[in-house]
Amino acid sequence: MQGSRYTDHRMDISLQGPVRTGGFKTLVAPVESSGIPPYEVTYVAPCLVRWDRGPTITLNIIPTRKGWVRIFVNFAGPKGSDRTRPDIPGMPPLVGFILDQLDKHIWLQHISTQNPIIDGDTLFMHAAERTLYERGDHSSWSKQYYMPATADAAVITWRKWLDKFGNSLPVLPRTAADLPPALPREQVFDRYNQHTKHCPHCKAALRNAEIAIGTVAVLAAVASASFVVAAINAAAALPAAAGAAAAAGSASVTTVGLWLVANLAGLAAAIAAVGGVIVAGLLKLRQQFIFEDYVHAEH
């Protein structure tokens, strides 16, 4: 599910030409106020969907066995260009800059945009598939679902293509018995086993995050402990210095000593706090590569 339900824009999808064995083509026309120009989405049977929106976005959904698929997403910019995202009219320059930085850091692009988009569909589709087969079979969709919106045209056309041309596909589940068992959320959103361990960019980023966590924790602990020891030593030396100062008729040494002890202790606490914040942030980043729950009500 791309975008937010709170900022949704209506779109019309229309079929372009006949539906053939090799697939079909649709035209997506977002509402004019969105500023997004119309673009084509093509289904190339049996496993490829292509969006032509400046750069070409291809989605390969490869069945590995009944009820299981492996997804490959590719963003290809125009020839001779390093752009991998479409131009969006009216986009603030700062937003465009941030998106360009994401393009340069593949792992950041994966955890911030692509993984959440897939997560938005995965659990919903996993449950909907089981509901469809528990109430009928793959061809009973027209009786189970009411889809009157023009935005549903592509889904309806693909279902009709599947009924007419794809019925003999060997990986097509026939009954609910062909489906995998219902998976808990921990497995549905298991990013490490589904993506990270197979992606060199995310795998390296996870390793670097774990190294950084250990390094920052050790450095913060050593630095904080050093200032604590210094504060303790200063406090231990304070009585003798204060006695000598009193004999000389001066109280300034005591004042300076107390100031030094307080500041050394404060520095120790500040370093520990900053180190804790950095480690907490790195732990949160690390979790993005392992497991991130997706709550639809929050999107």
Side-chain angles (χ1 to χ4, degrees):
M1 297 180 180
Q2 300 185 47
S4 167
R5 69 182 67 192
Y6 303 110
T7 57
D8 182 42
H9 292 292
R10 180 180 61 82
M11 62 175 60
D12 294 321
I13 301 179
S14 57
L15 182 63
Q16 304 292 296
V19 178
R20 298 188 173 93
T21 307
F24 57 88
K25 181 179 293 186
T26 61
L27 179 68
V28 179
V31 67
E32 187 174 343
S33 61
S34 70
I36 301 174
Y39 56 91
E40 290 184 342
V41 178
T42 305
Y43 170 61
V44 182
C47 304
L48 174 68
V49 181
R50 186 178 71 241
W51 287 260
D52 294 303
R53 296 187 58 188
T56 297
I57 306 171
T58 59
L59 180 67
N60 283 278
I61 307 174
I62 311 300
T64 56
R65 60 186 188 273
K66 286 186 178 182
W68 296 88
V69 297
R70 182 164 289 125
I71 299 174
F72 298 90
V73 183
N74 183 58
F75 295 78
K79 187 175 181 181
S81 170
D82 60 356
R83 296 293 297 277
T84 59
R85 65 175 178 85
D87 290 319
I88 301 177
M91 175 183 289
L94 178 60
V95 176
F97 173 78
I98 293 173
L99 292 177
D100 287 339
Q101 299 314 302
L102 291 179
D103 285 347
K104 297 175 183 178
H105 300 84
I106 304 300
W107 64 269
L108 187 57
Q109 186 184 102
H110 286 180
I111 66 171
S112 63
T113 58
Q114 295 179 14
N115 281 342
I117 288 174
I118 294 175
D119 288 346
D121 290 336
T122 303
L123 184 64
F124 176 79
M125 298 302 296
H126 180 58
E129 178 184 51
R130 300 194 67 82
T131 300
L132 175 68
Y133 279 90
E134 286 169 357
R135 296 177 179 176
D137 58 24
H138 71 86
S139 63
S140 65
W141 62 271
S142 60
K143 298 177 182 178
Q144 295 193 42
Y145 293 98
Y146 176 61
M147 295 179 284
T150 57
D152 296 322
V155 173
I156 292 173
T157 304
W158 180 77
R159 280 290 178 184
K160 290 180 177 179
W161 179 92
L162 190 64
D163 289 344
K164 185 175 181 179
F165 301 111
N167 196 48
S168 61
L169 290 173
V171 293
L172 182 67
R174 304 295 167 183
T175 67
D178 291 330
L179 299 177
L183 302 177
R185 301 180 75 92
E186 291 75 16
Q187 285 184 263
V188 173
F189 299 123
D190 182 358
R191 284 190 180 176
Y192 181 78
N193 287 298
Q194 292 180 13
H195 175 79
T196 301
K197 73 177 184 181
H198 305 291
C199 173
H201 305 286
C202 292
K203 190 174 182 179
L206 173 60
R207 182 177 64 251
N208 291 337
E210 290 177 335
I211 292 172
I213 289 169
T215 302
V216 171
V218 170
L219 290 177
V222 170
S224 181
S226 298
F227 281 107
V228 168
V229 170
I232 292 173
N233 290 337
L238 189 58
S250 173
S252 61
V253 172
T254 302
T255 302
V256 172
L258 290 173
W259 177 87
L260 179 62
V261 171
N263 277 273
L264 288 173
L267 281 172
I271 291 173
V274 171
V277 170
I278 294 174
V279 168
L282 289 170
L283 286 170
K284 186 174 182 180
L285 174 64
R286 176 182 179 272
Q287 191 64 24
Q288 295 279 322
F289 299 104
I290 298 173
F291 170 82
E292 186 73 12
D293 199 3
Y294 188 102
V295 181
H296 285 80
E298 297 176 358
H299 294 81

